Amino acid sequence: MAKIEMKTPLVEMDGDEMTRIIWKMIKDELICPFVGLKTEYYDLGLENRDATDDQVTIDSAEATKRLGVAVKCATITPNAARVEEYGLKQMWKSPNGTIRAILDGTVFRAPIVVAGIDPYVRTWTKPITLARHAYGDVYKNAELRIPGAGKVELVYTPADGGNEQRVLVHEYDGAGVAQGMHNLDASIEGFARASLSYALDTRQDIWFATKDTISKTYDHRFKDIFQEVYENEYKAAFEEAGIEYFYTLIDDAVARVMRSEGGFIWACKNYDGDVMSDMVSSAFGSLAMMTSVLVSPHGYWEYEAAHGTVQRHYYKHLKGQETSTNSVATIFAWSGALRKRGELDGTPDLVAFANKLEQATVATIEAGEMTGDLVAITSHPAPKKLNTQEFIQAVAKRLAE
Ligand code: NAP
Ligand code: MG
């Protein structure tokens, strides 16, 4: 069988632990037998990030700006334990944080809906897509440990030599901590546009929420910018499409989401999106069934699974024990990237292959062949638990049919 040709390479960002094992299996069994795969390869595994002083992460993001579409494996964000485990030169930053800061943009996470894997929340009959603002706030903050009595202030010094602005954060009479965060009007506007466009593309309502009653300047700015972008650029198209933009307070949004039937985009500030996407994805069944795509307003796409490196399974794998790690979200990262590449290059065969890969994956699970995490939650009458490799091979078999 002739392999499907690719015009432009994907940026391939390899990663760590169990997902690195899965990564190779997916390429070997599901992609390379069918596609003349072209990638520009960047090894974001922790050892290579350390060896290159994290330059490889920056290079991979720059390559994404050049080529447009990237697919990324889950990576370790080092903490103190990892610094010791890998003998790291320093506690490198989160690669995802670095890539998001370079590409700017919004992360959309949507559950992969499969018959027999039912959400824990009874009312959720449709997927909830989470749009996470991927710039600034606590992820790009400045922090201070305050050793003792003293004063912390925020100071703005205008570049044009205008009047300085100064506000008191706190007058300390003992030890404590302080934090400074920022965001940019341009980035918030990009977030609003990406979210509203995605809602329009997918014909779904969009919700946005902040804590503007408490954060009267910072969060309020987000609320105002969203409203402005909506009124000026989207209102008419939304009315024509019969969809709605809905703003509320973040705590009210959380309460309403739990009672909703789903089927909308939930746009969240960076931290809310980080936390709420983990809640939404696990409530939809499994973290391993959540896809993630970073959409940059400049026209770059980076696809990945929402889960991490599945460390516990990797340690079992290293001991020679059998694992049953779910590869679905990583498969969908590849299919998402290949589909987008095909759309941009005008290669319909590649788009069709991406669709077929997703259908084969879903059909495998619906036929009762699945990994252990899904066996534990499925309503399928006779599920069969496959190990990590067997599941990928079961998908490959369907794909070859
Ligand atoms: P995790 O890798 O998402 O795994 C947490 C737990 O969720 C696993 O132990 C497993 O539960 C279950 N799980 C997640 N994905 C699964 C899959 N594909 N198949 C089956 N079960 C799955 O999160 P973590 O253990 O907190 O983090 C591990 C490493 O990943 C950390 O170093 C972290 O920095 C990194 N991380 C990276 C990304 C990213 O690159 N996007 C995101 C998050 C975390 P059981 O053990 O109960 O089976
Ligand atoms: Mg998170």
Side-chain angles (χ1 to χ4, degrees):
M1 198 172 70
K3 288 190 189 182
I4 295 158
E5 290 296 324
M6 285 180 69
K7 274 191 190 161
T8 315
L10 289 176
V11 178
E12 175 182 353
M13 303 170 175
D14 207 344
D16 289 300
E17 299 194 313
M18 201 60 206
T19 41
R20 189 179 178 99
I21 308 282
I22 285 173
W23 193 258
K24 187 170 182 320
M25 289 180 187
I26 291 172
K27 282 175 65 181
D28 289 348
E29 311 259 1
L30 299 179
I31 316 268
C32 291
F34 308 98
V35 178
L37 183 64
K38 282 188 192 160
T39 74
E40 218 173 84
Y41 180 84
Y42 294 86
D43 184 1
L44 269 55
L46 188 50
E47 279 110 342
N48 195 45
R49 276 183 275 147
D50 196 50
T52 62
D53 294 337
D54 211 22
Q55 185 61 38
V56 66
T57 307
I58 294 163
D59 291 346
S60 71
E62 292 298 335
T64 307
K65 283 183 164 177
R66 181 161 40 80
L67 294 173
V69 186
V71 56
K72 180 180 171 291
C73 180
T75 46
I76 293 169
T77 298
N79 53 18
R82 299 298 200 161
V83 172
E84 194 166 323
E85 182 183 354
Y86 285 81
L88 300 179
K89 294 178 201 159
Q90 65 175 79
M91 201 185 292
W92 303 109
K93 285 185 185 164
S94 151
N96 285 36
T98 301
I99 294 165
R100 280 170 202 153
I102 293 174
L103 299 183
D104 194 0
T106 301
V107 175
F108 293 90
R109 283 185 173 189
I112 299 154
V113 178
V114 175
I117 311 294
D118 309 310
Y120 288 104
V121 179
R122 262 182 293 126
T123 53
W124 290 359
T125 53
K126 300 174 196 163
I128 295 171
T129 301
L130 222 126
R132 172 180 172 186
H133 185 210
Y135 180 84
D137 297 357
V138 73
Y139 303 86
K140 269 274 175 198
N141 69 355
E143 299 191 338
L144 272 181
R145 177 101 182 254
I146 306 299
K151 186 163 72 171
V152 171
E153 293 175 307
L154 279 180
V155 182
Y156 167 63
T157 316
D160 63 7
N163 285 342
E164 177 182 285
Q165 291 184 54
R166 190 175 281 265
V167 290
L168 180 69
V169 175
H170 194 67
E171 206 50 87
Y172 291 78
D173 51 22
V177 284
Q179 183 184 66
M181 304 196 301
H182 82 282
N183 224 299
L184 304 171
D185 282 7
S187 176
I188 302 167
E189 279 165 22
F191 171 44
R193 280 194 193 99
S195 304
L196 293 161
S197 299
Y198 194 88
L200 199 55
D201 279 354
T202 58
R203 289 279 187 278
Q204 297 182 83
D205 288 347
I206 174 165
W207 300 13
F208 181 52
T210 72
K211 196 71 186 174
D212 65 283
T213 48
I214 300 294
S215 175
K216 288 181 163 47
T217 303
Y218 196 104
D219 275 22
H220 212 286
R221 188 77 194 125
F222 280 76
K223 177 185 178 181
D224 289 346
I225 288 177
F226 250 79
Q227 192 64 37
E228 274 164 37
V229 171
Y230 172 68
E231 299 275 345
N232 296 339
E233 301 173 31
Y234 291 90
K235 195 165 188 273
F238 266 52
E239 280 168 5
E240 202 178 301
I243 57 172
E244 198 188 330
Y245 167 61
F246 172 61
Y247 178 86
T248 186
L249 274 177
I250 183 67
D251 30 1
D252 180 52
V254 169
R256 284 171 187 262
V257 163
M258 299 312 288
R259 288 185 264 110
S260 78
E261 59 168 27
F264 55 90
I265 317 289
W266 185 11
C268 288
K269 289 182 64 205
N270 209 347
Y271 177 83
D272 297 335
D274 183 352
V275 175
M276 289 302 155
S277 60
D278 285 341
M279 187 196 71
V280 169
S281 60
S282 54
F284 264 103
S286 167
L287 242 188
M289 298 295 282
M290 197 75 160
T291 61
S292 179
V293 55
L294 176 73
V295 181
S296 159
H298 316 294
Y300 321 126
W301 287 264
E302 185 231 309
Y303 292 83
E304 65 175 324
H307 61 78
T309 60
V310 213
Q311 182 183 16
R312 205 180 62 81
H313 295 210
Y314 181 60
Y315 288 170
K316 272 178 80 179
H317 172 82
L318 287 182
K319 282 190 221 152
Q321 294 168 12
E322 183 166 82
T323 57
S324 182
T325 311
N326 189 332
S327 49
V328 171
T330 308
I331 295 172
F332 273 64
W334 275 98
S335 59
L338 290 170
R339 181 188 300 107
K340 180 54 75 181
R341 192 68 269 166
E343 284 169 7
L344 294 176
D345 287 352
T347 47
D349 286 358
L350 197 57
V351 174
F353 172 77
N355 293 336
K356 210 177 150 199
L357 176 55
E358 292 181 357
Q359 284 153 12
T361 307
V362 168
T364 302
I365 300 168
E366 291 184 345
E369 296 179 276
M370 58 190 87
T371 46
D373 57 317
L374 298 184
V375 169
I377 58 172
T378 185
S379 58
H380 192 284
K384 190 172 156 214
K385 178 178 168 180
L386 304 184
N387 70 31
T388 306
Q389 183 153 29
E390 284 167 351
F391 177 76
I392 291 172
Q393 285 167 342
V395 175
K397 211 176 117 216
R398 280 197 166 66
L399 198 52
E401 273 166 9

